[in-house]
Each structure stands twice: as C-alpha cells, then as structure tokens.
Amino acid sequence: MSNTAMLEVEGLVTGYGSTRVVHGLSLKVREGGVTALLGANGAGKTTLMKTLCGLLPVQGGALRFLGEDIGHAAADRRVLAGLVLVPEGRMVFPSLTVHENLRLGGINVRARPRWKHNVERVFDIFPRLRERSSQQAMTLSGGEQQMLAIGRGLMAEPRLMLLDEPTLGLAPVMALEIFALVRRLTSEGLTLLLAEQDVHRTLEVANHAYVVENGRVAAEGPAAEIAGDPRIRQAYLGL
C-alpha cells in the first residue's frame, strides 16, 4: 500500500433527508491493498458507501478522488473516474442474463471499448459465471449473484472498488471464496474499500482499518494493530 491517497474524506456529514447518519467522518484510502470499514449494523458504513459513490448527497465536508473534488459530482461521473460500488444485497438485474448484467457494468465510455476483453476477464475469475452466461440472474444462487455483482463492478474498470458487505447471507464456504477473491484482486493492483461484518477475516486481508461507531470514526490504524488492541476489540468489535 502506497502513501498516495486515492480517496480523501474530510468532515463528511450525510444521511437521509433531515436524518443525519454520518457526523463529521474523515478517512483516507491509500492506493493499493485493502482499507477496511468495521462497525456494528447501523454504524453508518453503508450510508458512507452510498455517499462516496454519489447515491446520497454530501451535506457537509469534502470528498476528493484522485485529487479531484467529487463532492457534488454525479454518480456516473464517479464511475467514469474509476470509483465503483458493489452494493450491499448484490442488486443484480434479476430478469437479465448474466452476460447482459456484465454488459451493463461496462457501459461507461472509458470501459466500453474493451467490454469483450473485460467479460473474458470476469469469466476467467468466475468460471461459474461463464457456465451460466445465458441464465437469468434470478436463477443464480446467492453466492453466484455476489460473483456477478463483483464481476459487473469489474466491468467498469475501477481504480477503487467499494465492496459493501460482500459475504452477507452467504454460506461459509462461499464467504471464504470472496475473501480469496479480495486477495487476488489486490494482488493484481486493484484498491479496495471493504465494509464487512466478518471482523477476523477482514482484518487478515486488510492493510488499514477504520472502526465506525454512530457515524464517526472511533478508531483507526494498521489492520494488525487494530486486531491486536484488546481495548478496541472489546469496545467496538465484539471480540
């Protein structure tokens, strides 16, 4: 992980209408590796992710991606810049085929010329998706739908991928596959911001971690230090 900050969040305030969920939160995602977002359900992780990708408005503070102010940029402009969300709950298009879902993932003008190459890359990463290319997404298992959601994100050629609860609701063996995939993607140069409930495995794959509580950063540091701090483990992580 380099010292170059791809994403800088300063004093972010956001939420849903008049209901504020994130209160002055600041963090940095450095290029390379995995930055982890940890915290209980309702801590504000998903709200933060939605704001980073442009699905919720910034109510206060600043967002910078690759040195550019993106606080008021439209969601599609953020994707074009390389900031891509794989949302909680997968959110694939159920009536479309696997192949059609992937095509939609690569629709931005930067990635579109290489969509065939990128589909092959996704199929190399997820051979099961190749086998199910013509099936409707609704016929896939939960684990296969998560593969498709990540594959669709990769089609956009992200510089930074936001992974929101990728193992939620998955069988343990499939969850292990997702963490193995995280390692593979980072070894290939992708930067990840990972929000995840499996604290143990997340800290094993992460370089740096932020613990979020009530919409604020309660603790942060190298993942190994967070994992080894008994005060943080007990107070915030339930370990």
Side-chain angles (χ1 to χ4, degrees):
M1 178 177 278
S2 78
N3 288 323
T4 303
M6 294 188 76
L7 178 69
E8 297 173 277
V9 181
E10 292 183 0
L12 181 67
V13 178
T14 186
Y16 303 86
S18 61
T19 303
R20 289 187 173 179
V21 178
V22 174
H23 311 275
L25 183 147
S26 298
L27 61 79
K28 290 183 179 181
V29 177
R30 293 174 176 82
E31 185 173 4
V34 179
T35 299
L37 277 180
L38 304 173
N41 287 330
K45 303 188 302 298
T46 291
T47 301
L48 171 61
M49 290 289 212
K50 288 181 176 180
T51 306
L52 295 179
C53 73
L55 296 179
L56 288 174
V58 171
Q59 298 179 8
L63 295 181
R64 286 187 295 277
F65 181 60
L66 301 175
E68 298 293 326
D69 182 353
I70 62 165
H72 300 289
D76 62 327
R77 300 299 301 177
R78 301 185 198 196
V79 172
L80 189 60
L83 183 64
V84 176
L85 172 68
V86 177
E88 179 184 11
R90 300 180 273 280
M91 305 298 287
V92 297
F93 298 103
S95 63
L96 299 183
T97 67
V98 167
H99 195 270
E100 289 166 342
N101 269 273
L102 294 176
R103 282 292 308 270
L104 284 175
I107 203 168
N108 77 73
V109 296
R110 181 170 54 83
R112 195 181 305 156
R114 290 173 296 281
W115 74 267
K116 290 183 179 179
H117 168 81
N118 290 334
V119 165
E120 283 302 310
R121 180 187 176 221
V122 170
F123 285 160
D124 286 343
I125 294 171
F126 300 114
R128 270 178 282 185
L129 294 184
R130 186 190 298 276
E131 296 168 7
R132 291 155 175 72
S133 174
S134 61
Q135 288 183 216
Q136 287 180 304
M138 70 175 73
T139 68
L140 303 180
S141 70
E144 289 165 348
Q145 288 189 17
Q146 186 62 68
M147 293 177 188
L148 180 55
I150 295 172
R152 186 179 61 190
L154 291 172
M155 288 292 298
E157 298 185 348
R159 297 280 304 278
L160 170 59
M161 179 177 279
L162 312 176
L163 269 179
D164 193 8
E165 304 289 358
T167 72
L168 185 66
L170 299 187
V173 65
M174 181 55 64
L176 287 175
E177 285 193 33
I178 296 299
F179 281 106
L181 172 66
V182 166
R183 287 189 173 93
R184 173 175 176 173
L185 294 177
T186 54
S187 73
E188 294 175 357
L190 185 60
T191 303
L192 296 175
L193 178 61
L194 172 63
E196 173 58 52
Q197 288 294 312
D198 189 333
V199 173
H200 286 288
R201 291 197 175 95
T202 300
L203 289 173
E204 286 176 357
V205 300
N207 304 90
H208 200 85
Y210 289 86
V211 181
V212 180
E213 185 182 45
N214 297 324
R216 297 178 173 87
V217 173
E220 64 115 346
E225 290 184 12
I226 295 291
D229 188 323
R231 181 186 63 85
I232 294 174
R233 288 163 59 90
Q234 183 173 13
Y236 302 115
L237 304 179
L239 298 177

